[in-house]
Amino acid sequence: MPSRAHQRRVLFLLRHLEDHLREGLRGEVIVAPYPVRLAPGSFREPDLLVVLTEHRSWLTPRFAESADLVVEVVHPDDPERDRVTKRREYALAGIPEYWIVDEAEGAITVLALERGAYVVAGRHGPGEVARSKLLPGFEVDVAPCLPLE
């Protein structure tokens, strides 16, 4: 079960993404629990997922066929699931960008898909700004996001 701090981080990022995407009607951000299909019969429910306007056909009433960007706030009970397992699964599914919000490491890591694998596009701590490679102009001040206790 997500903690209050986890949910506050998700809502903080949701508001920033919604504000950014609203400018120019660039896409939609959806909060969990709304699954994204990674492969036939394989689904995940990222904390946040973004589908750009040109891919809106990916959105079905029950799940997304894919996503342009996913965000996971690392759960302290199983951090390897978000840092390793989901990283591999999202890359195999071809999702172009993956943000890992990790209080334990005090960082937001932005991963960009290159040749089927994620590379670190940026690792940002408090006092820094995390920037999307996929969404021009989208950036988040890390300090207000970590920690939110």
Side-chain angles (χ1 to χ4, degrees), residues 7 9 12 22-23 34 42 50 58 94 102 113 131 135:
Q7 292 302 89
R9 285 181 185 89
F12 175 85
R22 193 174 297 121
E23 298 171 16
Y34 179 76
S42 175
V50 171
W58 292 347
D102 195 331
L113 194 64
R131 289 180 179 84
L135 303 174

Side-chain angles (χ1 to χ4, degrees), residues 48-61:
L48 296 169
L49 70 89
V50 171
V51 173
L52 298 176
T53 301
E54 59 264 28
H55 301 136
R56 70 177 145 244
S57 64
W58 292 347
L59 298 174
T60 75

Side-chain angles (χ1 to χ4, degrees), residues 12-13 16 99 107-110 121-133 137-145:
F12 175 85
L13 292 165
H16 279 75
W99 284 39
I108 295 176
T109 302
V110 177
R123 182 174 164 76
H124 311 280
E128 298 178 332
V129 174
R131 289 180 179 84
S132 174
K133 191 170 179 181
F138 179 67
E139 58 184 41
V140 174
D141 185 0
V142 176
C145 190

Side-chain angles (χ1 to χ4, degrees), residues 57-121:
S57 64
W58 292 347
L59 298 174
T60 75
R62 296 184 52 221
F63 61 89
E65 294 283 352
S66 188
D68 291 294
L69 183 150
V70 292
V71 177
E72 294 285 4
V73 176
V74 175
H75 198 285
D77 291 348
D78 189 2
E80 294 308 301
R81 179 178 57 225
D82 296 313
R83 294 180 191 147
V84 178
T85 305
K86 290 181 183 179
R87 178 179 177 153
R88 181 180 61 249
E89 292 175 351
Y90 291 150
L92 288 171
I95 296 172
E97 191 164 292
Y98 177 29
W99 284 39
I100 301 172
V101 180
D102 195 331
E103 181 187 15
E105 292 188 355
I108 295 176
T109 302
V110 177
L111 301 168
L113 194 64
E114 291 185 12
R115 293 182 297 280
Y118 284 124
V119 297
V120 176

